[in-house]
Amino acid sequence: MPRFAYFEGAIRPIEEARISVRTHALHYGTGWFGGLRGYWNQEQGQMYVFRIVDHFRRFLNSGKLLMANLPYTPEELAAITLDLLRAEGYQEDCYIRPLGYKADEVIGVRIHDLHDAVAIFATPFGRYIEDEEGARVCFSSWRRVDDTALPPRGKLSGSYVNSALIKSEAVLNGFDEALVLNQDGHVAEGSAENVFILRDGVLITPPVHSNLLEGITRRSVMELAQSELGVPVVEREIDRSEVYVADEAFFCGTGVQVVAIASVDHRPIGSGKIGPVTRSLRDLYFRVVRGQEAKYRQWLSPVYEEVAVG
Ligand code: PMP
């Protein structure tokens, strides 16, 4: 359980971070959020937050979609988060949740002329999907929200009703997760993660205009696959049936990390087990986020003071 939260401009005991039932964002979904992970490295006695400034840049952009004008830079929000994590003193993996919201206690649907607030807390966190080497996946009967109605490129609280409909349908039908098609009938992403398929040695992922969240893990995985594994990556539209005949498929995202897809709609993907490219990428991803790959240390922000070794 978290002991602290950043709330109303200061790090406070989490019991003090409470809002009214009249809060605008609670009624109308006029909030936005982020999701980051802190990785504990036991040997180094260090916690690393993955791509903290990139996450806060997207967080502020999500707010922009709701006409929020927050008096913070991404770097300032990153510094607050590192202070918060030092206050918590976690020595285990954790998940960090920044939340922006229209804080007025007022009735009336709109996004302008309202006050914007920011809260941040961090909580110990492990797996998001139980079987990380073989998720059982279906195609959702829902469609992904469309940019013409509710922009999926922002992490807007209201649009997570769409994600929740997708996830619950999948889980109640016995699956771990779902893929969702966009309004054009092409693959968009999972309920809260981006997707890649492998065909003939090429990784393919839907482009940013396919109505998906512009994932930071997605971007990282693209770079790692190309630079470190020599696997080409192509961004293009993917049909539902193309997933069925893929050699490998996986989800990626901050929460899910890198999770192999074993089957889709009861059809095994490739061998029906985690494939070699997914395994290599997944192993590399975990080494990178945990601070075991010097080349990618610039993606990591250490939480605790770094002690010189030797
Ligand atoms: N798509 C959706 C809908 C998500 O909620 C997330 C999780 N933030 C992702 C993709 C993955 O994004 P990221 O890698 O930045 O966590």
mmCIF file of all heavy atoms in Angstrom, residues 162-183:
data_model
loop_
_atom_site.group_PDB
_atom_site.id
_atom_site.type_symbol
_atom_site.label_atom_id
_atom_site.label_comp_id
_atom_site.label_asym_id
_atom_site.label_seq_id
_atom_site.Cartn_x
_atom_site.Cartn_y
_atom_site.Cartn_z
ATOM 1 N N ASN A 162 -14.160 2.225 -22.662
ATOM 2 C CA ASN A 162 -14.005 1.365 -23.845
ATOM 3 C C ASN A 162 -13.042 0.207 -23.532
ATOM 4 O O ASN A 162 -13.347 -0.974 -23.781
ATOM 5 C CB ASN A 162 -13.488 2.226 -25.011
ATOM 6 C CG ASN A 162 -13.274 1.467 -26.310
ATOM 7 O OD1 ASN A 162 -12.190 1.492 -26.870
ATOM 8 N ND2 ASN A 162 -14.294 0.779 -26.812
ATOM 9 N N SER A 163 -11.904 0.522 -22.920
ATOM 10 C CA SER A 163 -10.929 -0.523 -22.554
ATOM 11 C C SER A 163 -11.528 -1.515 -21.554
ATOM 12 O O SER A 163 -11.282 -2.722 -21.643
ATOM 13 C CB SER A 163 -9.687 0.118 -21.944
ATOM 14 O OG SER A 163 -8.975 0.837 -22.924
ATOM 15 N N ALA A 164 -12.296 -1.005 -20.607
ATOM 16 C CA ALA A 164 -12.880 -1.876 -19.572
ATOM 17 C C ALA A 164 -13.925 -2.811 -20.174
ATOM 18 O O ALA A 164 -14.013 -3.989 -19.796
ATOM 19 C CB ALA A 164 -13.487 -1.021 -18.465
ATOM 20 N N LEU A 165 -14.713 -2.313 -21.118
ATOM 21 C CA LEU A 165 -15.696 -3.175 -21.807
ATOM 22 C C LEU A 165 -14.967 -4.307 -22.526
ATOM 23 O O LEU A 165 -15.381 -5.472 -22.484
ATOM 24 C CB LEU A 165 -16.505 -2.354 -22.825
ATOM 25 C CG LEU A 165 -17.502 -1.344 -22.262
ATOM 26 C CD1 LEU A 165 -17.984 -0.408 -23.366
ATOM 27 C CD2 LEU A 165 -18.677 -2.042 -21.602
ATOM 28 N N ILE A 166 -13.856 -3.955 -23.191
ATOM 29 C CA ILE A 166 -13.082 -4.931 -23.966
ATOM 30 C C ILE A 166 -12.465 -5.981 -23.038
ATOM 31 O O ILE A 166 -12.571 -7.187 -23.286
ATOM 32 C CB ILE A 166 -11.982 -4.182 -24.772
ATOM 33 C CG1 ILE A 166 -12.624 -3.274 -25.823
ATOM 34 C CG2 ILE A 166 -10.994 -5.163 -25.389
ATOM 35 C CD1 ILE A 166 -11.691 -2.180 -26.353
ATOM 36 N N LYS A 167 -11.857 -5.520 -21.955
ATOM 37 C CA LYS A 167 -11.143 -6.433 -21.053
ATOM 38 C C LYS A 167 -12.125 -7.375 -20.340
ATOM 39 O O LYS A 167 -11.900 -8.587 -20.272
ATOM 40 C CB LYS A 167 -10.342 -5.629 -20.029
ATOM 41 C CG LYS A 167 -9.588 -6.459 -19.016
ATOM 42 C CD LYS A 167 -8.320 -7.066 -19.589
ATOM 43 C CE LYS A 167 -7.573 -7.893 -18.546
ATOM 44 N NZ LYS A 167 -6.250 -8.317 -18.995
ATOM 45 N N SER A 168 -13.200 -6.822 -19.814
ATOM 46 C CA SER A 168 -14.128 -7.663 -19.042
ATOM 47 C C SER A 168 -14.797 -8.703 -19.927
ATOM 48 O O SER A 168 -14.970 -9.856 -19.517
ATOM 49 C CB SER A 168 -15.186 -6.808 -18.344
ATOM 50 O OG SER A 168 -14.596 -6.168 -17.248
ATOM 51 N N GLU A 169 -15.172 -8.313 -21.142
ATOM 52 C CA GLU A 169 -15.769 -9.295 -22.047
ATOM 53 C C GLU A 169 -14.802 -10.457 -22.269
ATOM 54 O O GLU A 169 -15.192 -11.635 -22.209
ATOM 55 C CB GLU A 169 -16.101 -8.634 -23.386
ATOM 56 C CG GLU A 169 -16.750 -9.608 -24.364
ATOM 57 C CD GLU A 169 -16.803 -9.066 -25.786
ATOM 58 O OE1 GLU A 169 -15.761 -8.616 -26.308
ATOM 59 O OE2 GLU A 169 -17.888 -9.086 -26.376
ATOM 60 N N ALA A 170 -13.522 -10.130 -22.494
ATOM 61 C CA ALA A 170 -12.519 -11.171 -22.758
ATOM 62 C C ALA A 170 -12.347 -12.087 -21.550
ATOM 63 O O ALA A 170 -12.380 -13.315 -21.673
ATOM 64 C CB ALA A 170 -11.193 -10.516 -23.134
ATOM 65 N N VAL A 171 -12.184 -11.488 -20.384
ATOM 66 C CA VAL A 171 -11.913 -12.291 -19.180
ATOM 67 C C VAL A 171 -13.135 -13.142 -18.817
ATOM 68 O O VAL A 171 -13.006 -14.325 -18.494
ATOM 69 C CB VAL A 171 -11.490 -11.363 -18.015
ATOM 70 C CG1 VAL A 171 -11.447 -12.123 -16.695
ATOM 71 C CG2 VAL A 171 -10.130 -10.738 -18.322
ATOM 72 N N LEU A 172 -14.326 -12.559 -18.923
ATOM 73 C CA LEU A 172 -15.542 -13.323 -18.574
ATOM 74 C C LEU A 172 -15.802 -14.446 -19.582
ATOM 75 O O LEU A 172 -16.472 -15.428 -19.267
ATOM 76 C CB LEU A 172 -16.754 -12.386 -18.471
ATOM 77 C CG LEU A 172 -16.653 -11.382 -17.309
ATOM 78 C CD1 LEU A 172 -17.800 -10.388 -17.339
ATOM 79 C CD2 LEU A 172 -16.598 -12.085 -15.956
ATOM 80 N N ASN A 173 -15.240 -14.314 -20.771
ATOM 81 C CA ASN A 173 -15.338 -15.396 -21.761
ATOM 82 C C ASN A 173 -14.171 -16.380 -21.668
ATOM 83 O O ASN A 173 -13.999 -17.226 -22.545
ATOM 84 C CB ASN A 173 -15.424 -14.821 -23.181
ATOM 85 C CG ASN A 173 -16.822 -14.248 -23.460
ATOM 86 O OD1 ASN A 173 -17.792 -14.638 -22.823
ATOM 87 N ND2 ASN A 173 -16.903 -13.326 -24.392
ATOM 88 N N GLY A 174 -13.321 -16.222 -20.645
ATOM 89 C CA GLY A 174 -12.267 -17.205 -20.402
ATOM 90 C C GLY A 174 -10.921 -16.887 -21.034
ATOM 91 O O GLY A 174 -10.023 -17.731 -21.026
ATOM 92 N N PHE A 175 -10.767 -15.694 -21.580
ATOM 93 C CA PHE A 175 -9.491 -15.303 -22.188
ATOM 94 C C PHE A 175 -8.704 -14.412 -21.226
ATOM 95 O O PHE A 175 -9.256 -13.890 -20.254
ATOM 96 C CB PHE A 175 -9.731 -14.555 -23.508
ATOM 97 C CG PHE A 175 -10.386 -15.401 -24.562
ATOM 98 C CD1 PHE A 175 -11.769 -15.375 -24.739
ATOM 99 C CD2 PHE A 175 -9.635 -16.248 -25.370
ATOM 100 C CE1 PHE A 175 -12.383 -16.159 -25.704
ATOM 101 C CE2 PHE A 175 -10.230 -17.040 -26.330
ATOM 102 C CZ PHE A 175 -11.617 -16.997 -26.505
ATOM 103 N N ASP A 176 -7.421 -14.237 -21.528
ATOM 104 C CA ASP A 176 -6.588 -13.349 -20.699
ATOM 105 C C ASP A 176 -6.727 -11.895 -21.125
ATOM 106 O O ASP A 176 -6.605 -10.983 -20.320
ATOM 107 C CB ASP A 176 -5.102 -13.731 -20.828
ATOM 108 C CG ASP A 176 -4.840 -15.139 -20.353
ATOM 109 O OD1 ASP A 176 -5.314 -15.481 -19.251
ATOM 110 O OD2 ASP A 176 -4.176 -15.904 -21.082
ATOM 111 N N GLU A 177 -6.939 -11.703 -22.411
ATOM 112 C CA GLU A 177 -6.883 -10.340 -22.956
ATOM 113 C C GLU A 177 -7.558 -10.373 -24.329
ATOM 114 O O GLU A 177 -7.813 -11.454 -24.872
ATOM 115 C CB GLU A 177 -5.407 -9.912 -23.049
ATOM 116 C CG GLU A 177 -5.111 -8.491 -23.451
ATOM 117 C CD GLU A 177 -5.896 -7.435 -22.695
ATOM 118 O OE1 GLU A 177 -5.506 -7.022 -21.597
ATOM 119 O OE2 GLU A 177 -6.926 -7.017 -23.258
ATOM 120 N N ALA A 178 -7.842 -9.183 -24.873
ATOM 121 C CA ALA A 178 -8.468 -9.096 -26.195
ATOM 122 C C ALA A 178 -7.687 -8.158 -27.100
ATOM 123 O O ALA A 178 -7.036 -7.218 -26.636
ATOM 124 C CB ALA A 178 -9.899 -8.601 -26.072
ATOM 125 N N LEU A 179 -7.780 -8.447 -28.379
ATOM 126 C CA LEU A 179 -7.380 -7.493 -29.412
ATOM 127 C C LEU A 179 -8.651 -6.783 -29.859
ATOM 128 O O LEU A 179 -9.740 -7.372 -29.838
ATOM 129 C CB LEU A 179 -6.748 -8.222 -30.593
ATOM 130 C CG LEU A 179 -5.312 -8.682 -30.377
ATOM 131 C CD1 LEU A 179 -4.944 -9.764 -31.387
ATOM 132 C CD2 LEU A 179 -4.363 -7.496 -30.483
ATOM 133 N N VAL A 180 -8.488 -5.538 -30.294
ATOM 134 C CA VAL A 180 -9.675 -4.792 -30.696
ATOM 135 C C VAL A 180 -9.448 -4.155 -32.065
ATOM 136 O O VAL A 180 -8.347 -3.683 -32.368
ATOM 137 C CB VAL A 180 -10.069 -3.764 -29.598
ATOM 138 C CG1 VAL A 180 -8.979 -2.743 -29.351
ATOM 139 C CG2 VAL A 180 -11.380 -3.076 -29.924
ATOM 140 N N LEU A 181 -10.484 -4.206 -32.883
ATOM 141 C CA LEU A 181 -10.421 -3.599 -34.209
ATOM 142 C C LEU A 181 -10.856 -2.143 -34.118
ATOM 143 O O LEU A 181 -11.687 -1.781 -33.269
ATOM 144 C CB LEU A 181 -11.353 -4.345 -35.175
ATOM 145 C CG LEU A 181 -11.084 -5.840 -35.365
ATOM 146 C CD1 LEU A 181 -12.156 -6.457 -36.276
ATOM 147 C CD2 LEU A 181 -9.688 -6.086 -35.947
ATOM 148 N N ASN A 182 -10.319 -1.326 -35.023
ATOM 149 C CA ASN A 182 -10.772 0.066 -35.091
ATOM 150 C C ASN A 182 -11.995 0.166 -36.007
ATOM 151 O O ASN A 182 -12.484 -0.849 -36.526
ATOM 152 C CB ASN A 182 -9.626 0.988 -35.505
ATOM 153 C CG ASN A 182 -9.049 0.615 -36.859
ATOM 154 O OD1 ASN A 182 -9.743 0.048 -37.705
ATOM 155 N ND2 ASN A 182 -7.774 0.914 -37.057
ATOM 156 N N GLN A 183 -12.461 1.383 -36.203
ATOM 157 C CA GLN A 183 -13.696 1.570 -36.977
ATOM 158 C C GLN A 183 -13.533 1.118 -38.428
ATOM 159 O O GLN A 183 -14.514 0.755 -39.077
ATOM 160 C CB GLN A 183 -14.146 3.032 -36.931
ATOM 161 C CG GLN A 183 -14.651 3.477 -35.565
ATOM 162 C CD GLN A 183 -15.860 2.692 -35.090
ATOM 163 O OE1 GLN A 183 -16.770 2.402 -35.855
ATOM 164 N NE2 GLN A 183 -15.880 2.325 -33.815
#
